[in-house]
Amino acid sequence: MKIKVEPFERIRKFEIIIPLIYFSLLIIGILMVRTATYNESIEENYYKQIIFSILGIISYFFVYFLKERVIKNIIPYLYGITFFLLIYVLFFERARYGARRWIRLGPIGIQPSHLFLIFTLIIFAKYLSERNKKAYYLLSFITLLGLGLIFKQPDLGMTLFTFGLWFLLTYVSGQHEKTWKTALFLMVFSSPFAFYFMKDYQRARIIGFLFPEKNAAGVAYNMLQATRAIGSGGLFGKGYLNGFMNLSNFVPEDHNDFIISVIGEELGFFGILLVISLYAILIYRIYIYANKTQRKFWKYIYFGAIAIIFFHVYENIGMNLGIMPITGVPLPLISYGGSQIITFSMLLGLVTKGIATTETYNEENYLDNE
């Protein structure tokens, strides 16, 4: 007999801490995009960020109320569609800022690689939990092709994140040991050669990261300016809408990839500490349920979500502080951008849904094919 999770039961078992952090990060993002674009030609991005956040909230609850059976049934189609969108964006969309990453829908751009990342998580969680070897190897091959398409956009950060997610899920599953060991060996062996397949600006970013003083006026300019802005904020910052380097446009893209520099300058060390603490609590909360659940599907979802959030936060803040190369990775739910907000909203909606699902019924009474 099938056991169905009714909506009121999901509400009763609603995990409160994760959505509270989710809404807090959205609010911080709106406020920081406001000050980062204040009195600039792109000030309208502040209003777009509000719209993106509303769409994100809708996505969050839409995923939350989807039945697990429905998610598992539609994910192969979503994964396939997104793969073809990667092909479309690479060959049929015009380059923007030297890259082909976005599908333009009027004033809004959709980045398929973000959706490909989360759909990769869900589809591998599905087939690894079912121990379907044929599907796993087929999907691994398709994902490898997807990595090639993302790398050609070019988007090195998302390429590494997607590979890292595939590797983590395979490793955590305890299956296909030879596969992940071979992939790890090939990645380490080919890393020095990958440098020569990068775009010129990607190689320049790595060189600028290694020797920032020699590239202060070039590729390392953004990173050095972001570091100075953060340092100038001190412990408590200069106050909201009072950041001199922010308001004077000394940090390019400070509403997007370098938004942590705005937080550091205007809210200080404690402002950055607050943001990092929110992410840390979020990750720890998901980790608790990852260790608690016995259902493999949700265990893989939780560990994958942890990896996606952690590496995005680490890379973004790291490149602002000069301890990581610049890769154009956004700060989840805070940086300007609709694709990343909707992607992380769906991810956290999925996590919250999983918690409500597995907490509502005992593991032995709940069927995987709900």
Side-chain angles (χ1 to χ4, degrees), residues 11 45 199 231 304:
I11 294 174
N45 286 349
K199 296 289 185 179

Side-chain angles (χ1 to χ4, degrees), residues 82-144:
T82 310
F83 176 80
F84 284 108
L85 288 179
L86 291 176
I87 298 175
Y88 174 84
V89 75
L90 184 61
F91 293 101
F92 298 101
E93 283 289 330
R94 290 192 303 174
R96 185 185 179 202
Y97 303 121
R100 300 177 187 271
R101 302 178 187 172
W102 298 271
I103 296 176
R104 304 302 302 179
L105 297 175
I108 299 176
I110 298 176
Q111 201 165 341
S113 58
H114 285 172
L115 296 175
F116 189 72
L117 180 66
I118 186 173
F119 293 155
T120 296
L121 166 61
I122 300 172
I123 200 165
F124 273 95
K126 167 182 166 63
Y127 288 110
L128 283 172
S129 63
E130 296 174 0
R131 306 185 75 87
N132 188 326
K133 290 185 177 182
K134 183 178 180 180
Y136 168 81
Y137 286 115
L138 175 61
L139 290 170
S140 295
F141 176 71
I142 296 174
T143 301
L144 179 63

Side-chain angles (χ1 to χ4, degrees), residues 4 43 59 75 79 84 93-94 107 152 194 198 221 239 267 315 330 337 340:
K4 296 183 179 180
E43 190 170 6
S59 302
I75 189 57
Y79 178 81
F84 284 108
E93 283 289 330
R94 290 192 303 174
K152 288 290 293 181
M198 295 179 183
Y221 177 80
L267 304 182
E315 167 59 24
Q340 66 91 7

Side-chain angles (χ1 to χ4, degrees), residues 251-263:
V251 185
E253 296 296 322
D254 61 353
H255 67 297
N256 197 344
D257 300 338
F258 294 90
I259 200 164
I260 200 71
S261 68
V262 180
I263 297 174

